[in-house]
Amino acid sequence: MLRNPYVFAFLIILSLAGLVLGVVYYFYPAVIIKRRVKDHHWEAAQKDGEFKKWLEAEMQIQIKRVRHMGMVMIVMEAIWFVLIISLWQKSRGM
C-alpha cells in the first residue's frame, strides 16, 4: 500500500485542498461571515441603530475567529503535506 502512487497522490491532493481552504478562511473571512448573516438581519440592522452596532461587533468577532481557524488550518495542512512527502520519499528508498 505504501508503494502505491495513487494513495500518495490522493493524500497530496487532499492536503492541498485543505491548505487552499485554510488560505481562503485566512484571507477572506469577511466573505464567509457575510454569507452566514441572513437577509432579514441586514434589513433589521438598517432600521435599528443599536442592532446594527451589535451586528457589526459580532461580525468582527466572528471574522477574527475565522481568520484564526484559517491560520490553524494552514499550519496543520502544511505539516501533513511535509509528512506525506517524507513518507513518499521513504517508501521510494530515497
Side-chain angles (χ1 to χ4, degrees), residues 5-48:
Y6 296 117
V7 172
F8 290 108
F10 176 74
L11 290 175
I12 287 174
I13 289 170
L14 196 62
S15 178
L16 288 176
L19 192 62
V20 167
L21 185 64
V23 167
V24 169
Y25 271 42
Y26 184 74
F27 287 111
Y28 302 107
V31 174
I32 295 164
I33 297 303
K34 286 181 182 177
R35 291 184 66 194
R36 292 180 184 173
V37 179
K38 306 295 181 209
D39 290 334
H40 65 277
H41 289 137
W42 290 115
E43 293 169 4
Q46 296 300 324
K47 296 176 185 175
D48 186 11

Side-chain angles (χ1 to χ4, degrees), residues 5-92:
Y6 296 117
V7 172
F8 290 108
F10 176 74
L11 290 175
I12 287 174
I13 289 170
L14 196 62
S15 178
L16 288 176
L19 192 62
V20 167
L21 185 64
V23 167
V24 169
Y25 271 42
Y26 184 74
F27 287 111
Y28 302 107
V31 174
I32 295 164
I33 297 303
K34 286 181 182 177
R35 291 184 66 194
R36 292 180 184 173
V37 179
K38 306 295 181 209
D39 290 334
H40 65 277
H41 289 137
W42 290 115
E43 293 169 4
Q46 296 300 324
K47 296 176 185 175
D48 186 11
E50 191 68 29
F51 182 68
K52 184 177 182 177
K53 288 179 190 176
W54 176 83
L55 185 63
E56 289 174 359
E58 188 65 29
M59 283 180 60
Q60 291 303 317
I61 291 169
Q62 293 298 323
I63 286 172
K64 192 178 198 181
R65 287 180 183 167
V66 169
R67 182 166 288 190
H68 179 71
M69 184 175 60
M71 181 54 75
V72 169
M73 287 176 68
I74 290 170
V75 170
M76 292 300 292
E77 292 298 329
I79 291 170
W80 276 110
F81 186 72
V82 168
L83 288 173
I84 292 166
I85 295 295
S86 66
L87 184 63
W88 177 59
Q89 288 179 346
K90 185 177 178 183
S91 72
R92 291 186 65 204

